[in-house]
Amino acid sequence: MKKYYYYTYRTESGKICCGTQSIEGRDFDVNLMMRKLYKDYGCVCIITFWKEISKEEHEGLMEFFNEVNKEG
């Protein structure tokens, strides 16, 4: 079963960011996500919060993130 998560994290510079993740058949893996953020951004990011959300919430957040990213 696929699970959906919303999470927030803090970068080394103190910036607070957020994201969503869909995961098949397991719970949110903080270790794996911190390693992914390190690989993507080249710095240590500390995950400060995560919560399981519905598929509809995940889709809505992804749509919002896409709109914000288009604005630059």
Side-chain angles (χ1 to χ4, degrees):
M1 181 172 101
K2 189 172 265 195
K3 295 182 179 183
Y4 303 90
Y5 291 91
Y6 168 79
Y7 62 95
T8 61
Y9 60 97
R10 183 180 299 262
T11 66
E12 285 181 333
S13 66
K15 185 177 177 183
I16 297 174
C17 304
C18 63
T20 60
Q21 179 74 25
S22 60
I23 303 170
E24 187 70 44
R26 59 184 168 83
D27 292 330
F28 188 80
D29 187 330
V30 176
N31 177 37
L32 184 65
M33 184 54 65
M34 286 180 66
R35 290 173 183 273
K36 180 185 181 315
L37 291 171
Y38 180 79
K39 181 180 176 189
D40 290 350
Y41 299 108
C43 67
V44 175
C45 299
I46 304 299
I47 296 174
T48 57
F49 172 82
W50 69 91
K51 177 185 182 213
E52 188 172 351
I53 60 175
S54 69
K55 179 180 180 182
E56 292 76 22
E57 286 178 299
H58 179 266
E59 290 170 352
L61 284 169
M62 292 302 296
E63 182 180 310
F64 173 70
F65 292 158
N66 287 337
E67 289 174 17
V68 170
N69 288 335
K70 285 179 187 175
E71 292 174 6

